[in-house]
Amino acid sequence: MHYIEPHIHMISRTTDDYHRMAMAGCVACTEPAFWAGYDRPHPEAFADYFEHLTSFERGRAARFSIAHHCWLCINPKEAEDVAFSREVIQIVRQFIDRPGVVGIGEIGFNKNSRNELTILEEQVALAVELNQLILVHTPHMEDKLKGTRLTLDVLDAHGVSPDRAMIDHMEEHTTRLVRDRGYWVGMTIYPDTKFTPQRAVDTIETLAGDRLWINSSADWAYSDPLLLPQTRFEMQRRGHTEAMIQKVLYDNPLQFLSQSGKFKVTVT
Amino acid sequence: MTDQSHTCPMTASNVIETYFLEHRGKLLDIAAFLDRVDRASGAPDAKGDFLIKALHEGLRLVASDEPGRARRLLESLSDPTNEPIPAAHTKSASGAYDEKS
Ligand SMILES: [Zn+2]
C-alpha cells in the first residue's frame, strides 16, 4: 500500500533511506525547513539551503519515484535573532514560487519566547499574504502545551483558515485543543522518548482518523524514516480496516497538501 | 471529554495479551532507574530534584482509575504559564517544568 511521508528532513538522510522508503511504499514526501543542529552564521546560508531543498533533493527522491516537496521558513530555533530572521524571510519570498514548495513551515515556538512570537507572527502574516499553507512546529516536552496555545492564538488573530494549517508534533494533551479549534492534527513518531507508534494509533482511534496526519520527522538526530510503515503495522495488528489505514497514511495528507495546488504524488 | 469507549478495535483481553510484557518491562525500567539514582553519589540531594519529583507525581497519576492518564501525565509535566518568556537562553527542553526556572 502506498503512503505519503509528510514531514521528513531528507537533507540529513542517505540515499539508502529513499530506497528503503520507496520499497516500503512511500510515493511522496514533504520536507519542512528546519534547524541544522547549529545556528547558521549568515542569512545567505538559507539561500543555499532552499536551493538544495528545491532542486537537488527533488532529483534525488525522483530516482526512487518519490515526489519530493518542501516548506520554507526561518525555523523557531533560529528565530531568537529577529533581525537575522527578517533577512531570511526576504529569502523565503525569493524561493516561494519554485516548483514543489507547498507552504510556509515549520514555523512556531521552541522556548515560547517573545522574539519567537514576533517572528511567528511575521511568518503567519507572510503565509496569509501569499495564500500559503502553514505547517506549525510545536515545542517539545514541558514547553509544548503552552506553545500550542500561543500558536493557536496567533493563527486565529491573523484569520488563518483552520483547514489550511497543520499543527504538528501533537501528543495526548494537545490534540483536543487543536481539534476543538478546527485545525489539523499532526503527530510525529519517534524511536524513543516522545511518541510511539502505539500512542499514535491510540490517538488516531480517539479522533476517528479524521483531519490528522502522522510522520517520522526523521532528521540528523536519532530517528527512523520507516516509522510510518511500522505504524501501519501497528494499525493492522489491532484489526483496523485497510480503508482506515489508507485514510491516515495517504488520503488525509493528500487532502491537506492538495490545497497548496503544487502537491503531486507522481514524480514530474 | 467525549466518551472514548469502544474506540480501540481489540478486546480488552487482547490488548492485555498483546502489550502486557512490553509494559511490564517499561515499569521495571522505571524501578531500576530510581534504584540507580539511589546507588549513585549525591543520591540524598537527588530526592529534591524537580525531575525526580515530577516522575513521582507522574507515577501517582498513572496509578489512577480514571481514563485520560496519558493526557493528565503530560499536563502535569507542562509549563502552566501563559505569557511568552522574555528571551530564550537555551534551545532544549528538560522534560518537566521547573517552577524555579
Ligand atoms: Zn521537522
Side-chain angles (χ1 to χ4, degrees), chain A:
Chain A
M1 184 196 281
H2 291 166
Y3 74 92
I4 295 167
E5 167 55 90
H7 186 147
I8 190 161
H9 301 287
M10 292 309 296
I11 191 171
S12 307
R13 309 300 309 188
T14 62
T15 299
D16 314 35
D17 286 335
Y18 275 124
H19 187 201
R20 293 190 303 142
M21 287 161 65
M23 286 195 298
C26 182
V27 291
C29 65
T30 81
E31 174 157 3
F34 82 139
W35 189 53
Y38 62 94
D39 291 352
R40 279 115 170 156
H42 312 289
E44 297 76 30
F46 281 85
D48 280 345
Y49 179 38
F50 298 160
E51 181 67 41
H52 180 113
L53 292 182
T54 53
S55 57
F56 177 77
E57 214 52 63
R58 267 170 83 73
R60 201 160 68 110
R63 287 176 50 204
F64 300 93
S65 300
I66 294 175
H68 180 279
H69 306 75
C70 68
W71 305 76
L72 304 179
C73 74
I74 172 79
N75 67 84
K77 281 198 170 80
E78 283 171 284
E80 189 63 21
D81 185 337
V82 170
F84 181 98
S85 300
R86 286 179 176 149
E87 287 192 54
V88 177
I89 291 170
Q90 292 311 312
I91 298 171
V92 170
R93 285 182 179 274
Q94 294 164 26
F95 281 83
I96 198 77
D97 292 326
R98 288 243 180 143
V101 179
V102 292
I104 300 291
E106 48 186 310
I107 57 174
F109 287 99
N110 180 50
K111 293 305 295 179
N112 303 322
S113 76
R114 284 181 199 151
N115 285 354
E116 290 170 15
L117 172 61
T118 299
I119 294 305
L120 172 62
E121 288 192 313
E122 292 182 19
Q123 295 198 96
V124 169
L126 179 74
V128 171
E129 176 199 329
L130 302 176
N131 195 28
Q132 295 289 322
L133 293 180
I134 293 174
L135 175 58
V136 170
H137 164 95
T138 52
H140 297 301
M141 309 277 183
E142 68 272 20
D143 300 315
K144 187 180 298 294
L145 181 58
K146 175 176 172 178
T148 302
R149 285 196 187 116
L150 289 169
T151 301
L152 295 178
D153 288 347
V154 171
L155 294 173
D156 284 352
H158 283 78
V160 171
S161 164
D163 292 336
R164 294 176 58 83
M166 175 67 69
I167 318 299
D168 219 334
H169 316 320
M170 293 289 92
E171 296 180 51
E172 289 86 344
H173 58 327
T174 51
T175 48
R176 280 283 155 197
L177 202 64
V178 168
R179 170 57 59 83
D180 289 350
R181 287 167 75 161
Y183 293 92
W184 282 74
V185 171
M187 285 176 282
T188 302
I189 301 150
Y190 300 86
D192 69 343
T193 68
K194 295 190 199 109
F195 205 60
T196 58
Q198 288 90 331
R199 284 170 55 206
V201 179
D202 291 336
T203 308
I204 289 165
E205 288 166 356
T206 58
L207 297 178
D210 293 326
R211 286 167 77 84
L212 57 85
W213 80 19
I214 56 173
N215 60 81
S216 74
S217 191
D219 57 16
W220 44 262
Y222 186 48
S223 49
D224 180 353
L226 292 184
L227 280 166
L228 291 197
Q230 212 172 301
T231 307
R232 174 174 63 199
F233 174 72
E234 176 65 20
M235 292 186 76
Q236 281 165 341
R237 82 163 171 173
R238 290 194 193 181
H240 283 286
T241 62
E242 285 299 306
M244 180 60 150
I245 296 171
Q246 160 145 350
K247 175 177 171 174
V248 171
L249 285 159
Y250 189 88
D251 298 344
N252 284 357
L254 179 65
Q255 185 190 344
F256 178 77
L257 292 163
S258 293
Q259 298 178 91
S260 76
K262 288 162 81 178
F263 183 77
K264 305 275 180 298
V265 286
T266 46
V267 175
T268 48

